[in-house]
Amino acid sequence: MDFQIRDAISANMTDNKAQDIRGVVDDAIQRGEEHLLPGLGVFFEKLWQRADDQEKMKITGELEQAFAAGQ
């Protein structure tokens, strides 16, 4: 079976409002189920592809802090 998760998630999220997207992200994180991680990865990939260099530096700085020892 040739299932393209990127395509499926993109199709499911097309034209969703910010509040709806936040609900999806919050729900996925709250549930903590590992099979939801690829979907969140697709969200990140979309964000990254649209970001300019300044936004990418901000994102990576935030991630650096999030993964810092003791966090």
Side-chain angles (χ1 to χ4, degrees):
M1 184 162 122
D2 189 17
F3 179 73
Q4 297 294 324
I5 193 164
R6 284 181 181 91
D7 294 339
I9 290 170
S10 294
N12 286 337
M13 298 306 298
T14 298
D15 294 328
N16 280 7
K17 302 294 182 207
Q19 183 177 351
D20 299 324
I21 295 169
R22 175 152 184 178
V24 169
V25 172
D26 285 343
D27 182 59
I29 292 170
Q30 181 180 34
R31 289 170 59 181
E33 297 174 12
E34 298 232 352
H35 74 275
L36 298 174
L37 291 176
L40 293 175
V42 173
F43 279 37
F44 182 80
E45 179 181 53
K46 293 281 191 182
L47 179 65
W48 189 260
Q49 288 172 340
R50 294 180 46 120
D52 62 22
D53 285 339
Q54 184 176 359
E55 291 168 322
K56 287 178 180 178
M57 287 299 298
K58 183 175 182 345
I59 292 167
T60 54
E62 292 289 335
L63 288 170
E64 177 184 25
Q65 290 179 13
F67 286 107
Q71 294 294 320

